[in-house]
Amino acid sequence: MRLTLLRRAVHAIIMGPPGSGKGTVSSRIIRDFDMQHLSSGDLLRAEIAEESTHGVRAKQYIEEGKLVPDALVVELVLSQIQKISTNTSWLLDGFPRTIEQAKELSKKEKLDCVINLDVPFNTIRERLSGRWTHLSSGRVYNDGFNPPKVPGVDDITGEPLVQRNDDKPETVQKRLETYQLQTAPLLDFYGEKGLLHSYSGTKTDEIWPKVKEFLNSIMPQGNRSRL
Ligand code: ATP
Ligand code: MG
């Protein structure tokens, strides 16, 4: 008898305060698991770079450390999710960030799990001030614990790294407050649905093995051997 194993696509969210390492953990997830990564921050920055209508509107909010209006991000992110084939797994990073966004998402998509990176705010303040970003790819480095091979230069493309305007200390404080007020309530929202998987630590290298172990349990062999 032949057993046909059909792997269903996994729909996951990665959450955590700004600077909690969502970008770094996401890049490890997509390296080891067959999932498509969608980052709302990267999508917004691409719109800003193109000077699209959405980008021009979003820019002012981002630079002040505020959230972009729900309707704008919901449209941007949901339209990208809909382009992904139904048998491809995806990982949402930075979205949803409000209860309203989570409700809009749940009207369109079924979720399997929410991975929460639980990192203390003090660790985050130190981290963001040393953070360098390669704008076109979204790759991030940190002076302290993940430096580029050559200072100020992206490892892969050799292009210059920049400090994001919103990584300035006063904006960082504002982003943490925004998180506490608008995004932290999502932890209860998803907790009550039984979807929340929280991992605590002050270093990404401490948190990553726990996230990987969890994903291995729901996606054996990285979900690569689809039949
Ligand atoms: P990190 O990715 O390092 O955790 P972060 O999450 O604060 O940092 P991004 O996800 O890159 O940064 O987002 C940058 C900015 O884009 C946010 O501060 C916010 O202004 C805006 N933004 C991103 N996603 C959303 C969203 N879902 N809703 C509203 N605004 C958003
Ligand atoms: Mg991000």
Side-chain angles (χ1 to χ4, degrees), residues 15-24 39-45 48 58-59 61-70 73-74 77 93-98 101 128 131 140 164 166-167 171 175 178 183:
M15 283 189 58
S20 57
K22 294 189 296 285
T24 307
S39 150
S40 55
D42 290 348
L43 289 175
L44 285 165
R45 281 186 287 277
I48 292 173
K59 190 173 183 207
Y61 293 94
I62 295 180
E63 291 193 342
E64 288 171 18
K66 291 182 187 155
L67 292 185
V68 170
D70 287 332
V73 248
V74 165
V77 176
D93 163 7
F95 180 92
R97 252 194 179 75
T98 64
Q101 292 175 17
L128 289 183
R131 180 159 85 165
V140 289
R164 276 165 39 182
D166 55 346
D167 286 345
T171 316
R175 283 162 67 200
T178 304
T183 308

